[in-house]
Amino acid sequence: MKKVAISGALLLLAGCAQVENYQDVVKHPAPAGLVGYWQSAGPQSKLVSPEAIASLIVTAEGDTLDCRQWQRVIAVPGKLMLRGDSLDNVTRELDIYGIEREGNELEYAGMTLKRVDRPTAECADALTKKPLPSMLP
């Protein structure tokens, strides 16, 4: 039992703690420069194919949509979470991705995303079918 407690404490200290319940995550508002639409530019090694596209939609309230498309669209809602000094996106599937922004580029989930004016048609469609909480009337 002591080994489990010590292992858990070490994981927390190492910043590798997992989220066990999405509902318990406290949503953090997005910094102004992060709000908007972000999309992969060119092939990304973290995507399944060079033709695949990754998008991240971020609202001012801290709601997110991680949208990846290739032969089909996978769109997973999430929310921003502040852990110490780092801002992370936690998806409903309990994946945690760090976010680092520099100007109009974002380092996210091992990929480089660039700011765009609008999401892809496929991600916009996914957002229409499952709007983020802060987008509901």
Side-chain angles (χ1 to χ4, degrees):
M1 187 67 166
K2 284 183 181 179
K3 289 181 183 179
V4 172
I6 291 171
S7 296
L10 288 174
L11 282 174
L12 280 171
L13 291 172
C16 298
Q18 291 295 317
V19 172
E20 293 188 24
N21 185 347
Y22 179 79
Q23 300 305 324
D24 292 341
V25 174
V26 176
K27 182 170 56 172
H28 191 273
L34 188 60
V35 175
Y37 308 109
W38 301 86
Q39 186 175 307
S40 57
Q44 302 282 324
S45 63
K46 294 290 182 180
L47 294 173
V48 70
S49 165
E51 293 87 28
I53 299 172
S55 299
L56 181 66
I57 299 170
V58 182
T59 68
E61 293 80 6
D63 293 302
T64 65
L65 183 70
D66 184 325
C67 184
R68 305 192 192 189
Q69 59 191 86
W70 182 44
Q71 294 178 339
R72 64 186 175 116
V73 176
I74 300 172
V76 183
K79 54 186 162 184
L80 297 178
M81 171 180 77
L82 194 60
R83 282 197 305 177
D85 290 338
S86 76
L87 188 63
D88 297 332
N89 183 40
V90 180
T91 69
R92 285 206 179 138
E93 293 179 353
L94 302 181
D95 294 318
I96 302 172
Y97 301 110
I99 299 173
E100 294 285 331
R101 184 182 73 88
E102 189 170 317
N104 285 328
E105 271 194 6
L106 201 67
E107 291 297 320
Y108 174 73
M111 300 177 287
T112 301
L113 308 181
K114 295 189 186 248
R115 185 180 294 281
V116 293
D117 293 332
R118 65 183 68 79
T120 63
E122 294 83 359
C123 289
D125 186 46
L127 191 57
T128 301
K129 290 177 183 172
K130 294 181 183 177
L132 298 174
S134 59
M135 297 177 145
L136 294 172

